[in-house]
Amino acid sequence: MKQISLLRSFVACRWTNRARKRLAVVGLASICLLSACAPKFDKGEEVVQDKGSKEQEAVIPKYNISDSYYRVVLPFKPSGARGRVVNDVNTRLDVDEFETGLMRLASEQFSPDEYLFQEGQYLDSETIGRWLARKRTDSQLKAEKMKPEDNIGLNPPISDKGTNEQKNKQSPIYLASILEHDYLVKVDNDKVKLGGVAIGLALNSVHYYSTEQGYPREVKIKDDVIEREGKRIAAEVLKRLRSMKGLGSVPITIALYKQAPRSSVVPGHFFAVAHVDEGSSTIDDWEAVNEEYYLFPSDEAEENHRDDWLKFNNFKSDVEDFFPNYTGIVGRGLYVNDQLQKLTINITMPFYGKAEVIGFTQYVTGLVMEKFPDYITVNVYIASAGQPESLIVRQAKADEPFVHIYQ
C-alpha cells in the first residue's frame, strides 16, 4: 500500500511544471471573471447589412475564438426554423454533428477568413414542415381538401391500400430535416451582403412507424437508396431555392447527411456534397465525403481501425489500473478519409475530494500526451455523479494541452 501511495504521489506530480502553470492561468482567469476584472473588448466593427431594398445596422465581432469558427454577425438573428432540427433529428449527437458538420463542409467553399455566419433567414419553420411532409395522392388531396399547389412534400406518398406495415415498408420517409446556413461577405468597408448559402439534408437510415395496433416497427434503408433519394430531393430543393427572392444567383452548397438510428451512441455523418455556382439551377457534380464516427471500444473499431483501437484500450487500461474505483470510459472518434482526426473521451468515476480530481486529471493529461499521436485532437471530459469535474483539450500539433478544473 505504501508503494502504491508513493506511486500515486509521483504520477500526480509528473505534470507539475506545465500543468500547474496552466491550471494557475485558468484559476486566475476564473478569479478575474468573478471579480469583474475581465478585459474590456471593443464590441466590434459596425457595418450595414444589405438585404435588397432594406438596409440594417449590424456588428462584426472583433475577436474570434478559433480560426476554424465563423464570426457571427450581431445582433444575432435566429432562424425562422429555429428548433426544427432538434425536433426532427433522432439524437442530440446527430443534432450537433448535423450543424457543425455542415459548417465544416461549407468552409471549403466559404472561407471563415472571408465570410461571416448567420442563421438561415430564408426557410422558415412552416416552409420546412411542408417540404418534409409526404406527397399526397389524388385521393388523399381530395380527402384532405388540399389544393394541388400545396402538395409540395418531398417525401414519397403512402399508398391508400394495404396494412400500415405494408405501406410503410413500401414508402419509408427518407428526408428527416433541412438546415439552412447563410454566409455573408463584405462588399465595402462598411457593408455586408449575402455571399452564399449552405443547405443540409438529413436523411433517415431507419424509418420508424407503428402498426394499427400501436406496436413500434422500423425499416432499415439501404445506403444506395439513401444516396439516390437524397440526390433526387436535393435537385428539387435547389430548384425551389432559386425561385426565392434573394437566392436566385448566390452560390449554394448542398450536403447530404445520413443520420444514425435512435439507439446509436455515435452520430451519423455527411456522405456527399455539391457546390452550385451562382445562377446555376442544376447540380452537375457530387463530391463524396468520406467521414464516419466510431465508438471506442467496439467491435467495429477493432475490425476497421485496429491501431487506434489498441491505443484507446491501452489508455483505458492505464486509467483503470491506476485508479481502482469504478471508471466508465467511452470514446467517439471522427474519421476523415479513414484517418482519425478527433477523439472525444468521456470518463465517469466517483470522486471523494477535489485533491483526487486534480491528481486524476494530471495523470490523465499525461496519458493523453503520451498515448495519442499529435496529429489527433483529443478532448477528455471527466465527470462524477452527473456533474463535470475537469476538462482536457489537446489540439492537433499543440505542444501543451489546455486543462481546466471546475470549481
Side-chain angles (χ1 to χ4, degrees):
M1 292 298 292
K2 186 176 180 180
Q3 288 179 332
I4 293 175
S5 178
L6 289 171
L7 177 61
R8 289 187 177 182
S9 299
F10 170 73
V11 175
C13 293
R14 293 172 66 187
W15 278 75
T16 51
N17 290 335
R18 288 185 178 179
R20 281 178 181 168
K21 288 179 181 178
R22 184 59 61 110
L23 290 171
V25 170
V26 172
L28 179 60
S30 300
I31 293 170
C32 285
L33 288 173
L34 290 172
S35 61
C37 69
K40 302 272 191 302
F41 295 128
D42 294 337
K43 67 178 181 178
E45 177 185 355
E46 293 187 0
V47 294
V48 173
Q49 184 176 350
D50 185 1
K51 298 189 69 177
S53 59
K54 297 181 180 179
E55 290 188 346
Q56 293 178 294
E57 291 186 359
V59 174
I60 302 174
K62 192 171 183 179
Y63 295 95
N64 196 7
I65 59 176
S66 170
D67 292 339
S68 60
Y69 288 127
Y70 288 93
R71 287 185 292 171
V72 179
V73 175
L74 302 175
F76 183 78
K77 295 181 181 179
S79 169
R82 188 180 189 185
R84 280 226 58 121
V85 171
V86 176
N87 295 328
D88 298 334
V89 176
N90 285 337
T91 68
R92 182 72 225 186
L93 294 172
D94 268 321
V95 170
D96 293 342
E97 180 60 24
F98 187 33
E99 182 151 12
T100 58
L102 182 60
M103 286 184 181
R104 188 168 62 246
L105 292 176
S107 67
E108 300 173 3
Q109 192 76 0
F110 312 116
S111 170
D113 294 332
E114 301 174 13
Y115 289 83
L116 308 166
F117 175 85
Q118 187 174 64
E119 281 202 348
Q121 301 295 306
Y122 294 88
L123 297 179
D124 57 28
S125 185
E126 181 182 355
T127 299
I128 290 179
R130 294 170 69 193
W131 289 12
L132 293 179
R134 285 185 180 276
K135 195 88 170 175
R136 266 53 167 196
T137 63
D138 291 341
S139 60
Q140 290 166 352
L141 277 177
K142 185 176 180 180
E144 297 178 35
K145 298 180 179 179
M146 285 181 61
K147 298 178 181 179
E149 57 267 28
D150 293 330
N151 190 21
I152 57 175
L154 293 170
N155 278 302
I158 195 164
S159 175
D160 296 317
K161 300 178 181 179
T163 66
N164 209 37
E165 191 163 4
Q166 291 171 334
K167 293 187 287 187
N168 276 278
K169 283 184 176 180
Q170 293 171 359
S171 298
I173 290 178
Y174 299 114
L175 181 62
S177 187
I178 301 174
L179 178 63
E180 176 199 351
H181 286 167
D182 295 343
Y183 295 94
L184 310 181
V185 63
K186 291 181 68 174
V187 290
D188 289 312
N189 290 333
D190 60 349
K191 283 189 178 182
V192 294
K193 71 172 186 178
L194 183 67
V197 172
I199 300 292
L201 303 178
L203 301 157
N204 287 323
S205 60
V206 178
H207 168 56
Y208 298 93
Y209 66 96
S210 297
T211 64
E212 286 87 344
Q213 294 76 28
Y215 297 114
R217 294 288 187 268
E218 60 183 54
V219 177
K220 292 184 178 179
I221 305 173
K222 295 181 179 180
D223 287 348
D224 60 332
V225 176
I226 295 173
E227 182 174 357
R228 182 194 71 209
E229 293 298 318
K231 291 179 177 179
R232 173 189 66 81
I233 292 169
E236 178 62 25
V237 167
L238 176 62
K239 179 181 175 182
R240 296 181 184 184
L241 292 175
R242 286 300 188 211
S243 66
M244 292 183 173
K245 184 178 180 180
L247 299 182
S249 61
V250 297
I252 296 177
T253 290
I254 301 181
L256 305 182
Y257 181 85
K258 174 187 172 183
Q259 72 163 328
R262 291 175 181 174
S263 59
S264 178
V265 293
V266 294
H269 59 276
F270 283 95
F271 63 89
V273 63
H275 302 294
V276 183
D277 294 334
E278 56 183 276
S280 175
S281 297
T282 59
I283 300 175
D284 298 323
D285 188 35
W286 285 95
E287 298 175 19
V289 178
N290 187 4
E291 295 184 355
E292 193 163 2
Y293 277 88
Y294 281 84
L295 176 69
F296 288 92
S298 69
D299 294 339
E300 292 79 8
E302 181 182 9
E303 180 180 351
N304 297 314
H305 300 284
R306 184 170 176 79
D307 288 346
D308 297 327
W309 177 82
L310 285 171
K311 289 184 180 73
F312 180 86
N313 274 17
N314 290 335
F315 168 86
K316 184 174 183 289
S317 178
D318 284 349
V319 173
E320 291 173 341
D321 286 346
F322 187 75
F323 281 86
N325 292 346
Y326 169 79
T327 54
I329 305 176
V330 177
R332 295 192 307 272
L334 170 61
Y335 284 82
V336 179
N337 296 324
D338 296 320
Q339 179 69 56
L340 182 59
Q341 297 286 316
K342 182 174 70 174
L343 179 62
T344 301
I345 301 173
N346 292 89
I347 301 177
T348 304
M349 67 172 291
F351 291 104
Y352 300 99
K354 189 58 68 175
E356 191 171 326
V357 173
I358 294 172
F360 182 73
T361 302
Q362 288 178 328
Y363 176 62
V364 173
T365 302
L367 291 179
V368 168
M369 299 301 288
E370 293 170 8
K371 297 293 183 181
F372 300 110
D374 66 355
Y375 59 80
I376 301 171
T377 293
V378 182
N379 300 323
V380 182
Y381 299 90
I382 299 173
S384 69
Q387 69 178 27
E389 296 289 353
S390 60
L391 167 68
I392 303 165
V393 178
R394 201 285 305 276
Q395 294 288 350
K397 300 299 181 181
D399 294 330
E400 294 185 12
F402 170 83
V403 182
H404 176 68
I405 307 291
Y406 292 99
Q407 300 301 315

